[in-house]
């Protein structure tokens, strides 16, 4: 129940962000936000009733894909409603909560050596850069770009 | 759940204010010579939020910060849902990029290990290097390491170190990196979008955000391909970590450590705490 309320509250916050940042009036965003919240909650519930452990985001992604795919009833309405919600309006609350949680790790950070900080930056760079390189190479080989 | 006594509404309210304020400021692009850096609402929100949670001010209790971290996970679900909804209408397009999607996953593994491990060894890390460089070290990866080596092992210490750095400045760093790589003109926005799906919610949001600002015309494609890459990673990521990247890192460590590892035995390796 707690999580349902939290999802809805985050939805309201995204609604406000979508309004202020991307000038979509709340009345126009509301159906999209409600659909996003609904699919998310279905995905969370589904993961819980499954007999085996699996990542929630797989099911949420999958259900969102199915609900908006051309063969699902009402897909045009669902896709159009969710299309009104700007992706970045959903990302801002994520990083705001991330910001509010930063303080708890600062004392741990002070105990780390500079070495691990350097290695972290290299690891972040490596994963992004190489995945980009590999994707680019395959697209080039396939002649897509 | 030990967070019963935390007033989560206080957190939601602060986030609401942060979102309203930062969206009002809007997006700014700054040219720093070597490229364009995109500054946008989520980054201001991250920094302002970090300021509010700075322990010295005592505005937030540790419990509240933990609650915020939990809510962060839920807020990422909505983001993921939106990415999925972007893919649905164009499912056939996804089939055409299957090979690239698989290979970018390989790139994510190769990148952390091939770049990370040698540098970690060169600057003197020992077994910490295995935990630190076998993956991006988010929560599931930490669990894998602790499960295999124990919470007090050097491997777990290395993984935890990268985890903490990722939490603290991963998002900011990713957004700068995405800005620089994006404005360098070397890569296609679609390749960058796939690269941005690094397996961490806040880092991915920041990287895709930067790309969307740098390539406004490709914003839809960026959401599409980063969403697809992220889905791919969330389906096979854990298995790849357990069966491929961790054994591979261990083997490379055994081979490389005697060659480029530092000789000195008593290097201070960060925190003595455990996970």
């Amino acid at each position: 129940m707690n999580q349902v309320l939290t999802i809805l509250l985050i939805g309201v916050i995204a609604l406000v962000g979508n309004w202020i940042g991307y000038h979509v009036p709340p009345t126009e965003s509301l159906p999209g936000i409600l659909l996003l919240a609904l699919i998310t909650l279905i995905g969370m519930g589904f993961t819980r009733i499954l007999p085996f452990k699996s990542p929630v985001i797989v099911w949420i992604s999958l259900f969102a894909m199915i609900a908006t795919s051309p063969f699902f009833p009402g897909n045009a309405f669902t896709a159009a409603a969710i299309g009104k919600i700007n992706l970045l309006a959903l990302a801002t609350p994520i990083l705001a909560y991330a910001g509010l949680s930063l303080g708890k790790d600062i004392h741990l950070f002070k105990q780390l050596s500079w070495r691990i900080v350097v290695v972290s930056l290299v690891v972040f760079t490596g994963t992004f850069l190489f995945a980009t390189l590999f994707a680019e190479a395959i697209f080039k080989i396939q002649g897509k770009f | 759940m030990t967070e019963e006594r935390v007033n989560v509404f206080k957190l939601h309210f602060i986030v609401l204010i942060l979102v309203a304020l930062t969206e009002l400021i809007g997006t700014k692009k700054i040219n720093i010579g070597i490229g364009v850096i995109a500054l946008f609402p989520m980054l201001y929100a991250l920094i302002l939020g970090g300021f509010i949670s700075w322990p010295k001010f005592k505005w937030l209790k540790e419990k509240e910060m933990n609650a915020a971290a939990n809510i962060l996970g839920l807020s990422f679900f909505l983001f993921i849902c939106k990415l999925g909804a972007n893919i649905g209408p164009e499912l056939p397009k996804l089939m055409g990029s299957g090979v690239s999607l698989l290979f970018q996953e390989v790139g994510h593994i190769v990148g952390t290990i091939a770049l990370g491990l040698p540098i970690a060894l060169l600057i003197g890390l020992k077994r910490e290097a295995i935990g630190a460089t076998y993956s991006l070290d988010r929560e599931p990866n930490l669990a894998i390491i602790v499960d295999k080596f124990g919470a007090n092992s050097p491997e777990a210490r290395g993984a935890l170190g990268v985890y903490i750095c990722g939490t603290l400045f991963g998002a900011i760093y990713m957004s700068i990196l995405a800005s620089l790589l994006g404005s360098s003109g070397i890569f296609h926005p679609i390749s960058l979008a796939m690269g941005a799906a690094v397996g961490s919610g806040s880092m991915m949001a920041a990287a895709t955000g930067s790309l969307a600002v740098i390539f406004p015309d490709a914003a839809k494609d960026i959401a599409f391909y980063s969403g697809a890459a992220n889905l791919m990673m969330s389906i096979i990521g854990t298995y790849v970590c357990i069966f491929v990247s961790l054994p591979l890192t261990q083997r490379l460590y055994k081979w490389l450590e005697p060659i480029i590892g530092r000789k000195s035995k008593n290097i201070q390796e960060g925190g003595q705490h455990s996970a």
Side-chain angles (χ1 to χ4, degrees):
Chain A
M1 211 54 229
N2 224 337
Q3 292 193 323
V4 178
L5 183 65
T6 308
I7 291 284
L8 290 175
L9 279 171
I10 300 165
V12 172
I13 293 169
L15 193 84
V16 172
N18 207 36
W19 182 23
I20 298 177
Y22 308 93
H23 313 292
V24 184
T27 43
E28 274 183 44
S29 307
L30 191 63
I33 289 284
L34 287 177
L35 283 165
L36 282 175
L38 181 70
I39 299 170
T40 303
L41 290 170
I42 292 174
M44 290 165 68
F46 186 76
T47 313
R48 205 169 281 185
I49 57 165
L50 278 181
F52 54 91
K53 268 183 117 179
S54 57
V56 190
I57 56 177
V58 170
W59 300 112
I60 296 174
S61 300
L62 212 63
F63 291 154
M65 268 167 60
I66 294 170
T68 53
S69 64
F71 52 81
F72 196 80
N75 67 80
F77 173 78
T78 308
I82 295 179
K84 288 247 171 23
I85 316 299
N86 196 293
L87 184 67
L88 294 183
L90 289 166
T92 309
I94 302 179
L95 289 204
Y97 289 112
L100 293 183
S101 73
L102 286 188
K104 74 184 166 59
D105 288 328
I106 285 177
H107 67 279
L108 286 177
F109 179 71
K110 286 181 182 155
Q111 295 176 306
L112 296 178
S113 78
W114 61 270
R115 293 185 176 85
I116 204 80
V117 179
V118 172
V119 172
S120 301
L121 292 180
V122 174
V123 166
F124 302 158
T125 311
T127 190
F128 190 173
L129 185 64
F130 275 69
T132 305
L133 266 173
F134 275 52
E136 180 98 9
I138 298 295
F139 277 126
K140 282 252 164 75
I141 292 168
Q142 290 178 328
K144 289 242 166 93
F145 302 156
Chain B
M1 282 270 132
T2 48
E3 264 100 34
E4 296 304 339
R5 287 185 301 142
V6 172
N7 184 2
V8 286
F9 295 104
K10 174 180 165 189
L11 295 172
H12 291 303
F13 184 70
I14 298 173
V15 168
L16 177 67
I17 301 296
L18 286 178
V19 166
L21 186 75
T22 57
E23 292 288 0
L24 204 61
I25 302 170
T27 302
K28 309 263 186 278
K29 286 186 207 174
I30 300 178
N31 197 326
I32 56 156
I34 47 168
V36 181
I37 288 198
L39 298 178
F40 46 100
M42 69 172 95
L43 293 184
Y44 320 145
L46 176 68
I47 292 167
L48 288 174
F51 192 73
I52 291 170
S53 78
W54 197 264
K56 279 237 169 71
F57 297 137
K58 297 198 160 87
W59 287 336
L60 289 185
K61 296 186 207 84
E62 180 117 3
K63 267 188 176 176
E64 291 171 320
M65 297 175 193
N66 285 325
N70 287 339
I71 305 170
L72 154 70
L74 292 175
S75 66
F76 186 58
F77 291 169
L78 284 171
F79 182 79
I80 287 295
C81 188
K82 163 76 183 169
L83 288 178
N86 274 6
I87 299 174
E90 298 173 277
L91 266 181
K93 210 161 120 187
L94 193 64
M95 306 304 164
S97 347
V99 187
S100 268
L101 274 175
L102 266 178
F103 270 86
Q104 61 82 28
E105 186 67 39
V106 179
H108 279 298
I109 305 165
V110 171
T112 57
I113 306 172
L115 220 54
L117 189 61
I119 291 182
L121 291 174
L122 280 172
I123 61 175
L125 262 64
K126 295 291 171 193
R127 278 168 54 202
E128 288 83 358
I130 296 175
T133 66
Y134 93 104
S135 76
L136 195 72
D137 286 320
R138 300 321 297 165
E139 286 86 351
N141 315 109
L142 273 185
I144 293 170
I145 282 283
V146 169
D147 184 48
K148 180 141 191 190
F149 301 97
N152 289 313
S153 61
E155 286 87 350
R157 215 154 53 224
L160 188 67
V162 175
Y163 173 80
I164 294 167
C165 292
T167 309
L168 282 181
F169 50 78
I172 298 271
Y173 182 73
M174 277 300 174
S175 98
I176 296 172
L177 188 64
S179 285
L180 293 179
L181 289 178
S183 52
S184 72
I186 304 170
F187 299 109
H188 195 283
I190 289 178
S191 313
L192 287 161
M194 287 188 173
V198 290
S200 146
S202 56
M203 290 191 214
M204 178 186 173
T208 46
S210 284
L211 293 175
V213 173
I214 302 252
F215 304 105
D217 301 334
K220 254 198 123 170
D221 276 347
I222 289 165
F224 181 87
Y225 287 100
S226 59
N230 183 66
L231 179 61
M232 176 69 95
M233 178 171 264
S234 52
I235 293 172
I236 64 170
T238 313
Y239 305 102
V240 170
C241 265
I242 296 172
F243 297 113
V244 182
S245 48
L246 186 52
L248 183 68
T249 314
Q250 286 178 285
R251 190 159 290 190
L252 282 174
Y253 176 82
K254 268 194 192 136
W255 174 59
L256 276 178
E257 205 278 329
I259 307 174
I260 57 171
R262 288 262 200 101
K263 293 287 176 286
S264 60
K265 283 274 190 310
N266 43 4
I267 287 171
Q268 296 284 313
E269 281 320 335
Q272 301 303 311
H273 54 269
S274 57

